[in-house]
Amino acid sequence: MPEHDYELVVRARRAITPDGERPVAIGVRGGRIAEIAGADVPLDGARTVQTAEDEVLLPGLVDSHVHVNEPGRTDWEGFASATRAAAAGGVTTIVDMPLNSIPPTTTVEGLRVKREAAEGQVAVDVGFWGGAVPENSAPGETGELSGLYEQGVYGFKSFLSPSGVDEFGHLTPELYRSAAAAIGELGGTIIVHAEDPGLLESAPAASGPEYASFLASRPDEAEHEAIRLVIETARETGTRSHILHLSTATALPMIEKAKADGVPLTVETCPHYLTIAAEEVPAGATQFKCCPPIRGAANRDALWRALADGVIDCVVSDHSPSTVDLKDLDTGDFGTAWGGVSGLQVGFSAVWSEASARGHSLADVVRWMASGPVRVAGLTGKGALAVGNDADFAVVAPEARTRIDARTLQHKNPLSAYDGRELTGVVRATYLRGDRIDPAAPKGRLLRRS
């Protein structure tokens, strides 16, 4: 007989559960939540964790949009550094994007190589998206999509405009429809970088240090028209479709209508679109460059309203780092700098800072940054303090403040759009399956779709 009923008991005066905020005592057995009781119930554990008066217990956050870049571009980021950053930010599960690594995750062999590179390095759990590219998406040539799905990827990412890297090509409308149909037949999800390439080509090219020049080069209309294609295709095929990193509010009415019509559509946005406005971006500050771009303050307000109303399903980082030199900080040229925001570690603090100022609760943030990404990716056992789920926890101090210093973040390269910002909400501890995460002894697992 075991000496104790539970290997761990966590007591919190404030915890965010599916039933709302309440005091709890949680019993953990075998790395899973076995019981959730009232805070004063005398559960017997071999170890006990009591949160402090100013702390709140959250489920481990989930980030379903992370570019780890290993292997091939490991100097941009890597599994060790990315998962350390995730853990420091209260994130216990990430899903890795299929591009910027070499090889990309567009073949079964590419997935094998990536898993091999990740093995033994990960401080949090890691799942993988596959990629839909011209080579595996034409009618009669979708065998690799089937193989990747059988090997447990959570779905397939596609681009409707150039991705920025040669080894991950974008899909024409015809190829996109072919890929979506094939993925639907598998029962899978297609996730889409939605910008129209023709409208991008016809827009004025970005050049120089003025952010307005870059913003004009990625017009709302390009995003809007590509999203129209995604909706039409989802309506025709019935394939679950997910719009990545929505930045434009102009597409919200047609997204809302599609959802009301029963189209199988989900949508994400990102912390940088919710917390930064185009008017605030200094000249030459290329750390703010990303595609699609950060837009104006009125657009940001509209994204918040859509998030509150459930039109937008979740908030994820789109952590897309690079080496410092690729950001062209010496010239500040938005036309030549790499596009991507590094924000994996600071996503919770950034979102909570803005959310609390707008009257939202921690329960809202958990819905957007834990249960929402779980639903989009099709993960199991994650994203909620619920019996049977993994004992993944984030202990946060919601009133504490911190000033971000990019040099002290766990990201491999010391560059962030949040550098110098004072944010509200500090992650004090992160637990994976009941064990406090120790970056020096990584115990994360590589996940497969069940």
Side-chain angles (χ1 to χ4, degrees):
M1 295 288 292
E3 291 185 30
H4 302 279
D5 293 335
Y6 298 111
E7 62 207 41
L8 172 69
V9 170
V10 180
R11 297 185 180 279
R13 294 175 181 84
R14 298 176 64 192
I16 305 301
T17 76
D19 300 321
E21 182 178 317
R22 63 187 180 96
V24 298
I26 297 178
V28 176
R29 184 186 298 125
R32 295 183 180 272
I33 297 173
E35 182 177 358
I36 301 178
D40 297 327
V41 174
L43 302 185
D44 175 44
R47 295 178 292 129
T48 299
V49 170
Q50 174 70 64
T51 60
E53 290 281 353
D54 65 338
E55 294 175 343
V56 182
L57 184 71
L58 310 183
L61 304 179
V62 177
D63 194 334
S64 56
H65 193 152
V66 178
H67 294 266
V68 176
N69 304 334
E70 186 175 7
R73 292 189 174 96
T74 310
D75 53 337
W76 294 19
E77 194 63 279
F79 284 104
S81 54
T83 58
R84 286 196 301 265
V91 175
T92 53
T93 305
I94 66 171
V95 188
D96 173 61
M97 282 292 162
L99 75 156
N100 299 340
S101 58
I102 302 173
T105 317
T106 55
T107 64
V108 171
E109 174 62 12
L111 176 63
R112 184 196 67 77
V113 171
K114 179 166 282 195
R115 281 185 168 142
E116 187 175 86
E119 192 69 50
Q121 291 201 74
V122 295
V124 303
D125 286 353
V126 179
F128 301 92
W129 296 108
V133 292
E135 293 83 355
N136 64 18
S137 295
E141 298 179 9
T142 58
E144 288 288 358
L145 298 179
S146 300
L148 284 163
Y149 202 63
E150 289 172 4
Q151 289 298 313
V153 300
Y154 284 89
F156 299 89
K157 180 173 187 177
S158 63
F159 276 76
L160 296 179
S161 58
S163 71
V165 292
D166 292 340
E167 65 276 1
F168 200 99
H170 71 285
L171 301 180
T172 63
E174 294 74 22
L175 284 174
Y176 177 73
R177 293 186 185 98
S178 172
I183 291 164
E185 289 176 4
L186 295 171
T189 300
I190 188 165
I191 66 175
V192 192
H193 181 122
E195 289 182 286
D196 181 274
L199 288 172
L200 292 180
E201 282 188 18
S202 63
S207 178
E210 293 305 318
Y211 185 73
S213 168
F214 172 64
L215 189 58
S217 76
R218 315 291 295 209
D220 296 80
E221 292 78 12
E223 206 174 342
H224 187 280
E225 287 308 303
I227 289 170
R228 188 188 304 279
L229 172 63
V230 175
I231 291 172
E232 290 173 352
T233 304
R235 195 185 295 274
E236 293 165 5
T237 63
T239 301
R240 290 195 304 273
S241 304
H242 178 68
I243 296 166
L244 297 164
H245 44 50
L246 179 73
S247 83
T248 181
T250 67
L252 289 170
M254 67 175 170
I255 290 170
E256 187 169 14
K257 183 181 186 304
K259 287 187 163 195
D261 290 346
V263 175
L265 183 72
T266 52
V267 183
E268 71 184 36
T269 194
C270 304
H272 41 280
Y273 301 133
L274 296 170
T275 63
I276 303 168
E279 296 90 338
E280 304 167 2
V281 178
T286 55
Q287 63 268 34
F288 293 91
K289 179 181 176 178
C290 57
C291 300
I294 294 166
R295 303 190 189 276
N299 183 90
R300 177 181 59 184
D301 292 343
L303 292 178
W304 273 104
R305 289 192 294 272
L307 190 60
D309 292 343
V311 179
I312 297 174
D313 298 88
C314 64
V315 179
V316 293
S317 69
D318 187 13
H319 178 67
S320 185
S322 71
T323 53
V324 174
D325 61 298
L326 291 178
K327 278 293 190 179
D328 288 345
L329 293 173
D330 54 341
T331 64
D333 189 336
F334 279 98
T336 60
W338 173 259
V341 168
S342 295
L344 176 57
Q345 184 171 332
V346 300
F348 166 75
S349 297
V351 171
W352 172 239
S353 296
E354 189 77 16
S356 58
R358 291 173 180 263
H360 296 290
S361 68
L362 280 169
D364 293 328
V365 174
V366 166
R367 185 171 70 254
W368 300 329
M369 302 187 74
S371 57
V374 162
R375 187 174 67 254
V376 164
L379 293 157
T380 57
K382 303 288 188 181
L385 299 181
V387 171
N389 275 3
D390 289 346
D392 298 349
F393 310 125
V395 179
V396 306
E399 304 305 320
R401 297 186 66 81
T402 183
R403 187 171 295 279
I404 303 302
D405 181 345
R407 296 168 300 178
T408 66
L409 298 176
Q410 295 293 325
H411 306 159
K412 181 166 284 189
N413 288 282
L415 188 69
S416 174
Y418 303 98
D419 189 38
R421 289 194 166 224
E422 188 175 48
L423 301 177
T424 302
V426 173
V427 176
R428 289 189 174 158
T430 310
Y431 293 77
L432 184 67
R433 283 181 290 278
D435 289 331
R436 185 165 181 167
I437 293 176
D438 176 3
K443 295 181 180 178
R445 296 176 181 172
L446 305 185
L447 305 178
R448 295 172 183 259
R449 177 188 46 80
S450 59

